[in-house]
Amino acid sequence: MRTGQHKTQEHPHVDPGGQAIFLPNFCEGRTFFLVVLIAQLLAFLVALSSNPPQQGFWVNLALVSLFVQWVALGTGLVLCLARRFLDRLGPFVAAAGTWLIIQAVILVFTLLALGMGRLWGWETLGSGLSHEEFLLRTLAIGAIVSAVALRYLYVQKQWQHNVEAEARSRVQALHARIRPHFLFNSMNTIANLTRSRPEVAESTVMDLADLFRATLSSRETGTLSEEIALARQYLRIEALRLGERLQVHWDVDERLSPDHPVPSLILQPLVENSVYHGIEPSTEGGTVTVALRQAGEMLRITVENPMPSQEHRRRRPGNRFAQESIRQRLALAYRGRARMETTQSADHYRVDILVPRRTS
């Protein structure tokens, strides 16, 4: 695979100030469930803080819960319908609009509750307050809770934005990172092959060009077949220099889709680490094992290499930059559904990556 097709990346909506909209999608079932859960917790706290009514605590809790859930579900429904409008606004205007929408919904449902209270003869709605006091208290609680919630959502979005920016900077650094010794060794290998084996030298130049193209690319995602091809190209270049010292065993599950999307540069850096830290320091060499297997609903990527002696390890310590970069990008891409594990024994080092086979 000599060239790669550049895919268009989808980015979240960004407001004119350059900051992503921080409001959650209230049309999602998960968001609605969280709203209901938080509303019930708020109802419980309000019931505990109220004066003991004549109906008793549990009746009061039921009435407060019913009212708060009405408000919560109504707010979620209105914010879901207003989602497209709010997404066009900047953070401050969107927050102000959301706050006003919440207050308007609270006002409407409070007036409805007061009307029903008059109809059924509940002059205080079980709260111990007059209608005017109940209205003012409800609006005040709603104003404070919604302001705190919007502030929390904004801060959380800013934190997430910073994490994503750091992860992108790490992948850019990983893209630009080619060990100088690998480049020099590759050029020397090509120079030595130019006269004796010109066709191999030409193929190696193409592999090296593809490797550079991939490392300098700004793509954040690729396919499984592209990652495998890139790792094979790297190993072919190193095999010309290391000869019989480098043995590679591939174990690729035929059931895996070659178009399975994965973060870019997730396999080649691990293979490079295996050669650099496991094979090259050892005079006897060894075997790098690369396995890609289907594990239920997960894709398991395993890279294993022999460990050199303690003396060689001290001469060539690792900074774990590549592993930490991959770990952060997995967390960013899969939101905690992927994991990366490392296992080290006296004579072997192994890295296991588990990612979902489905992107949804």
Side-chain angles (χ1 to χ4, degrees):
M1 186 180 296
R2 297 299 182 191
T3 59
Q5 298 295 327
H6 292 272
K7 298 180 180 178
T8 302
Q9 301 295 324
E10 295 184 0
H11 298 281
H13 170 75
V14 177
D15 68 276
Q19 295 174 323
I21 292 299
F22 63 93
L23 296 174
N25 183 5
F26 287 93
C27 299
E28 292 182 349
R30 178 182 178 185
T31 304
F32 246 94
F33 173 76
L34 290 176
V35 169
V36 171
L37 189 63
I38 294 173
Q40 187 57 46
L41 178 61
L42 177 62
F44 189 77
L45 294 176
V46 170
L48 283 177
S49 61
S50 301
N51 294 326
Q54 295 179 352
Q55 296 94 331
F57 171 77
W58 294 109
V59 174
N60 184 41
L61 176 61
L63 292 172
V64 172
S65 298
L66 180 62
F67 173 73
V68 172
Q69 291 297 348
W70 279 0
V71 173
L73 294 176
T75 301
L77 179 60
V78 175
L79 290 177
C80 174
L81 297 175
R83 177 190 174 197
R84 292 185 178 180
F85 171 74
L86 293 173
D87 282 350
R88 300 191 189 102
L89 306 177
F92 178 78
V93 179
T98 302
W99 187 85
L100 291 175
I101 289 174
I102 295 174
Q103 290 300 100
V105 172
I106 292 175
L107 178 61
V108 170
F109 277 97
T110 302
L111 294 176
L112 287 175
L114 291 173
M116 294 174 63
R118 291 191 182 96
L119 180 64
W120 292 341
W122 294 349
E123 293 301 324
T124 62
L125 296 176
S127 61
L129 302 173
S130 66
H131 287 179
E132 292 76 12
E133 291 174 335
F134 181 78
L135 176 61
L136 292 176
R137 182 184 181 187
T138 303
L139 290 175
I141 293 176
I144 295 173
V145 172
S146 58
V148 171
L150 289 171
R151 176 61 180 173
Y152 167 77
L153 292 173
Y154 179 78
V155 172
Q156 183 190 46
K157 189 64 179 182
Q158 291 298 102
W159 173 80
Q160 182 181 351
H161 178 73
N162 292 335
V163 171
E164 291 177 354
E166 181 181 355
R168 290 192 182 96
S169 65
R170 280 181 171 268
V171 73
Q172 289 172 0
L174 186 62
H175 280 159
R177 168 186 170 270
I178 293 183
R179 289 193 176 102
H181 88 284
F182 169 69
L183 177 59
F184 297 148
N185 291 336
S186 300
M187 298 304 294
N188 288 332
T189 300
I190 293 171
N192 293 331
L193 292 171
T194 301
R195 292 185 178 180
S196 60
R197 302 168 64 187
E199 69 285 351
V200 178
E202 180 181 0
S203 177
T204 304
V205 169
M206 297 299 293
D207 285 339
L208 189 61
D210 284 345
L211 194 60
F212 266 92
R213 186 181 296 110
T215 55
L216 296 177
S217 171
S218 59
R219 296 176 60 192
E220 296 181 4
T221 59
T223 63
L224 190 60
S225 61
E226 290 171 342
E227 289 298 300
I228 294 174
L230 193 64
R232 288 184 184 274
Q233 288 169 333
Y234 170 80
L235 290 170
R236 279 200 299 266
I237 296 174
E238 289 289 51
L240 292 173
R241 180 174 61 90
L242 298 174
E244 295 298 325
R245 291 171 56 200
L246 174 60
Q247 301 294 322
V248 182
H249 174 67
W250 286 89
D251 182 11
V252 181
D253 195 332
E254 296 181 354
R255 295 174 296 174
L256 295 176
S257 170
D259 296 327
H260 186 283
V262 292
S264 62
L265 287 181
I266 194 176
L267 180 59
Q268 186 273 334
L270 298 179
V271 173
E272 183 177 353
N273 280 350
S274 294
V275 174
Y276 184 76
H277 294 289
I279 306 301
E280 193 172 344
S282 175
T283 56
E284 298 83 9
T287 300
V288 174
T289 301
V290 183
L292 297 99
R293 309 294 297 174
Q294 178 177 316
E297 294 300 318
M298 307 292 284
L299 163 66
R300 178 184 292 272
I301 302 174
T302 302
V303 179
E304 188 174 3
N305 60 267
M307 290 290 291
S309 63
Q310 287 286 352
E311 181 181 355
H312 287 105
R313 285 184 235 175
R314 285 192 295 268
R315 292 178 184 175
R316 188 172 287 187
N319 54 22
R320 298 187 181 274
F321 174 81
Q323 289 188 9
E324 286 303 316
S325 174
I326 293 173
R327 198 184 303 274
Q328 284 197 10
R329 288 187 290 124
L330 289 174
L332 180 63
Y334 297 102
R335 307 296 182 186
R337 294 182 297 149
R339 67 179 186 269
M340 176 177 174
E341 302 171 350
T342 59
T343 305
Q344 179 176 337
S345 62
D347 55 356
H348 275 81
Y349 189 85
R350 173 172 171 164
V351 179
D352 288 290
I353 296 177
L354 283 170
V355 300
R357 291 196 297 117
R358 296 180 181 177
T359 55
S360 59

